[in-house]
Amino acid sequence: LETMMPPKVLEELQKTGPGSCPPSHHYFRATLVQSDLVGFTRMASSKPPEAVVKAVSDLFGMFDDLADEYGIYKVETVGDAYIAGQAEPPLTLQNYPPNVIRFGLNMVQVTQSWSSRSGESIGVRVGLHTGECIGGIVGIDRQRYHLFGKLIHQLELLESTAPDNRVQASRSCRLAVEKAGVDDAEFEFVERPEPSLLTSKGEVHQYAEVGGQTHLVNLLRPLPRRQQTSGLWRL
């Protein structure tokens, strides 16, 4: 169970009596990230199973290490998609949106580095979003903590319409980062100029579907590692 739900949620669960409803939570200031590997389907169709599994294990293992560094909770993986983030307790102890941005930017860097070392043509798309969602334990015999709500659907759109090897952030995410305070010389938000958003499959989406105009995040200097923050980010 320790790997299937946040530690504080597990503590709540262990305190509930038999027959009680499992804990659920309403998060008002969640900042989430979703990534998807570019070129993975092509690689999976041309490599033996053990090579495919090792590639995903290597990449997700590096993402897990980054999540530990930045205090990010890994929500789940679905195929080659990786979903994680921060929010108020009990999801995470820290809630600092700039660290979620740093995590997303690092996902791009480590994927490109792995691709270069391995000789595989694999990239990554990353979407980031901030807003409300619900968290709760699902299942009886195999319990797991999941997040639900409109935020999750919009996050998927932000990931699927991000350019290859880029981080796309929603308007609400940019505002949350600015509210939290961050050095302007570290990274910048550049508003997308396209009239609409386009997925890799050619599907067209409007900016209104993700809460307004989105931004690509540009790294301006090397990312700090093991960033420490005190307290919670508050509106």
Side-chain angles (χ1 to χ4, degrees):
L1 288 177
E2 290 84 353
T3 63
M4 296 183 177
M5 61 188 70
K8 291 295 182 183
V9 174
L10 180 57
E11 290 178 15
E12 285 187 50
L13 181 63
Q14 291 170 337
K15 293 176 182 177
T16 60
S20 300
C21 291
S24 59
H25 310 91
H26 190 163
Y27 299 109
F28 294 91
R29 303 183 301 275
T31 297
L32 305 180
V33 55
Q34 178 169 326
S35 71
D36 192 67
L37 299 178
V38 178
F40 175 79
T41 301
R42 181 180 62 252
M43 185 192 77
S45 66
S46 62
K47 298 286 184 179
E50 58 270 20
V52 175
V53 173
K54 184 178 186 307
V56 176
S57 180
D58 288 347
L59 286 165
F60 283 6
M62 291 188 288
F63 293 171
D64 289 345
D65 290 342
L66 290 172
D68 289 341
E69 285 198 16
Y70 288 104
I72 306 293
Y73 176 69
K74 176 184 177 181
V75 179
E76 62 181 331
T77 60
V78 181
D80 58 317
Y82 189 107
I83 305 165
Q86 289 187 339
E88 310 95 293
L91 188 71
T92 53
L93 298 180
Q94 296 181 356
N95 189 14
Y96 189 61
N99 271 356
V100 187
I101 292 283
R102 292 171 180 132
F103 174 72
L105 289 167
N106 262 302
M107 293 175 96
V108 174
Q109 289 190 342
V110 299
T111 301
Q112 290 180 312
S113 178
W114 178 89
S115 179
S116 177
R117 293 195 310 272
S118 67
E120 299 289 351
S121 182
I122 296 293
V124 67
R125 291 187 302 267
V126 179
L128 289 130
H129 198 13
T130 298
E132 295 185 34
C133 64
I134 299 295
I137 296 172
V138 176
I140 298 175
D141 295 327
R142 299 183 181 183
Q143 295 178 318
R144 190 174 186 91
Y145 194 78
H146 287 276
L147 299 180
F148 306 93
K150 185 178 180 180
L151 183 72
I152 309 304
H153 171 67
Q154 293 176 326
L155 177 66
E156 184 178 355
L157 282 180
L158 286 160
E159 172 271 304
S160 65
T161 58
D164 294 356
N165 296 315
R166 297 298 303 272
V167 173
Q168 177 172 227
S170 66
R171 178 178 181 274
S172 61
C173 182
R174 176 182 64 82
L175 293 175
V177 169
E178 292 174 351
K179 186 70 173 180
V182 65
D183 188 344
D184 291 339
E186 186 178 341
F187 49 76
E188 64 177 356
F189 294 90
V190 179
E191 188 173 288
R192 296 197 67 169
E194 299 93 337
S196 56
L197 294 168
L198 189 68
T199 72
S200 60
K201 297 179 180 179
E203 299 170 352
V204 178
H205 293 275
Q206 303 307 313
Y207 290 104
E209 296 179 59
V210 291
Q213 201 76 20
T214 66
H215 301 76
L216 298 180
V217 186
N218 290 332
L219 181 63
L220 300 179
R221 71 182 188 197
L223 286 160
R225 305 303 293 270
R226 300 192 182 278
Q227 177 74 15
Q228 299 294 319
T229 62
S230 59
L232 300 175
W233 164 65
R234 301 184 184 279
L235 287 171

